[in-house]
Structure formats: C-alpha cells, structure tokens
Amino acid sequence: KAGVTQTPRYLIKTRGQQVTLSCSPISGHRSVSWYQQTPGQGLQFLFEYFSETQRNKGNFPGRFSGRQFSNSRSEMNVSTLELGDSALYLCASSSGTGGYSQYFGAGTRLSVL
Amino acid sequence: SQQGEEDPQALSIQEGENATMNCSYKTSINNLQWYRQNSGRGLVHLILIRSNEREKHSGRLRVTLDTSKKSSSLLITASRAADTASYFCATDVSNQAGTALIFGKGTTLSVSS
C-alpha cells in the first residue's frame, strides 16, 4: 500500500497570505488528522476528519480550517498567515477514529516571511 | 499543553548499547503510542500499548506501561547508528468526539559507531 502523501513538501508564503495543504491517506483509511510541529511548542493536534466530518479539534484559532472529501483526501487551510505559523505540518491517517495507530506523511514545511 | 513528558531530553550512546526512554503523563489514557522521527521528517509509528497491557515487544523494542504511575518506557536493545532519531510518546485520550493524540516533546537519541 502507498503511504500517506502530503503536497507540497515545501512552501514559502508572506504574512497575510493564505495557504492550502493537501493530504492523501493510506488507501482504506477514513480518518485523517493534522498536526503542527514547531521547535517551541512541539507537536500539536490541529483537527481530525472522519468520513468528511470534523470529529475533533485542537486549540488553534479559526484561521486554521480543514475539510475532507468523499475519497478521504483532506486539505488544510490557513488564512491570514502570521510569522508564527511557520512550522512542519503533518498529516496522519488511521483506519478508524479513536484508539488507532496513526500513519504519518513526510509533512509540508511552511515558511512565512 | 503537553500531556507527556519524555526523559531524558537527549541521550548519546554507542552502537550495541541499550537505550531507555521514559514518558510520564497526566490524565487517563486509552493507549500510549511511541513514534520515531528522523531529522524533521514524518513520524514513524513504532508500537501501541493499550491501557490494560503492561508490556509489549516488537523486534528490538520493548515498551512497558504503568498506569498507576502514569508512566511508560521504551527500551531499544542493541542500538544501531540507524536508530539515531527523535522518539516521541503520544497519549491517546480519544473519546466519542474522535481521535486525540497528545505528544510529548521527545527524546533525541544519538547512536555513534
């Protein structure tokens, strides 16, 4: 099976712009979770989508949003980018929601200038 | 806020030695998972131990869980240079709302030949 695919791998944006990141889960996995990783805060949970519905959400401002399509692919959007949004954004898929192992993609490294 | 705290933050050993990392957490969990991350890339799932299990093995990995002390340990036996990476524990506090994995800040393991 192919693993979790995230695109793009690298992205450079300027403050105030918006960005969309994409994640294709492992075939058959219906749950997709997103995480932000920074040197200061570590790995932080953003949100989880399961069967096109947001199931859980971390403590992030409304500028961070996402969606999931019927084929389980997911996108994450960040609007009005701030310098502090520079991070590695990781997507993970699992076969179910709650209590399952998660399988991560290689991540999208976002730099906000 | 971080749920899990890994100890030590950094560990340097020689090839062939054993490496032990510890994780403490604060709240009740469904399971605890260990992940490995190589130099800013995606996370690799290593092992999942459920709250009713005390010990689990996978190849050279041995994980223990003590729910009364809210702690877990990861032992890597006969370390290799390829084991050099950051190791994270993640506590699964998923509920009916969905998946929620809370990561610690990790232990950076350096194995020299």
Side-chain angles (χ1 to χ4, degrees):
Chain A
K1 275 186 181 177
V4 177
T5 303
Q6 289 189 248
T7 56
R9 289 294 312 279
Y10 303 92
L11 209 46
I12 299 175
K13 292 286 186 179
T14 56
R15 276 183 304 172
Q17 287 187 311
Q18 76 166 21
V19 68
T20 299
L21 312 182
S22 180
C23 173
S24 293
I26 291 171
S27 177
H29 283 192
R30 295 164 61 194
S31 169
V32 173
S33 296
W34 288 89
Y35 297 84
Q36 180 196 65
Q37 186 177 28
T38 60
Q41 297 298 316
L43 275 153
Q44 293 187 288
F45 172 72
L46 279 156
F47 31 65
E48 181 207 13
Y49 284 86
F50 181 80
S51 294
E52 302 178 65
T53 302
Q54 187 180 88
R55 291 296 304 271
N56 217 346
K57 191 177 191 308
N59 189 24
F60 277 82
R63 300 185 296 108
F64 292 81
S65 63
R67 59 178 175 168
Q68 187 180 34
F69 302 95
S70 59
N71 61 359
S72 294
R73 190 177 71 84
S74 177
E75 288 182 346
M76 191 192 92
N77 184 273
V78 188
S79 63
T80 319
L81 284 165
E82 300 177 359
L83 296 178
D85 296 333
S86 294
L88 180 66
Y89 290 88
L90 293 162
C91 160
S93 76
S94 61
S95 55
T97 181
Y100 290 81
S101 301
Q102 298 203 343
Y103 298 88
F104 283 78
T108 293
R109 187 164 293 283
L110 172 65
S111 297
V112 182
L113 307 178
Chain B
S1 63
Q2 301 297 130
Q3 152 90 304
E5 295 283 339
E6 285 96 339
D7 170 58
Q9 290 186 353
L11 183 59
S12 293
I13 59 174
Q14 299 284 321
E15 264 191 330
E17 293 181 336
N18 295 341
T20 300
M21 290 157 255
N22 302 296
C23 170
S24 59
Y25 57 93
K26 297 172 184 172
T27 65
S28 296
I29 61 172
N30 301 308
N31 62 62
L32 187 144
Q33 303 177 31
W34 285 91
Y35 290 83
R36 184 186 76 227
Q37 185 178 38
N38 290 86
S39 191
R41 299 177 66 181
L43 279 74
V44 175
H45 179 264
L46 295 176
I47 201 162
L48 180 155
I49 185 166
R50 302 200 181 280
S51 60
N52 61 354
E53 296 176 311
R54 291 296 167 258
E55 188 171 312
K56 207 159 182 181
H57 297 255
S58 177
R60 294 184 295 114
L61 306 180
R62 173 178 166 253
V63 168
T64 62
L65 178 64
D66 187 334
T67 53
S68 66
K69 295 181 179 178
K70 291 187 169 56
S71 68
S72 174
S73 68
L74 169 67
L75 168 67
I76 305 174
T77 60
S79 295
R80 306 165 181 167
D83 295 327
T84 295
S86 292
Y87 291 82
F88 297 88
C89 71
T91 48
D92 186 329
V93 296
S94 301
N95 52 33
Q96 291 186 349
T99 298
L101 272 188
I102 310 297
F103 283 84
K105 292 219 169 184
T107 292
T108 300
L109 173 65
S110 178
V111 182
S112 53
S113 54

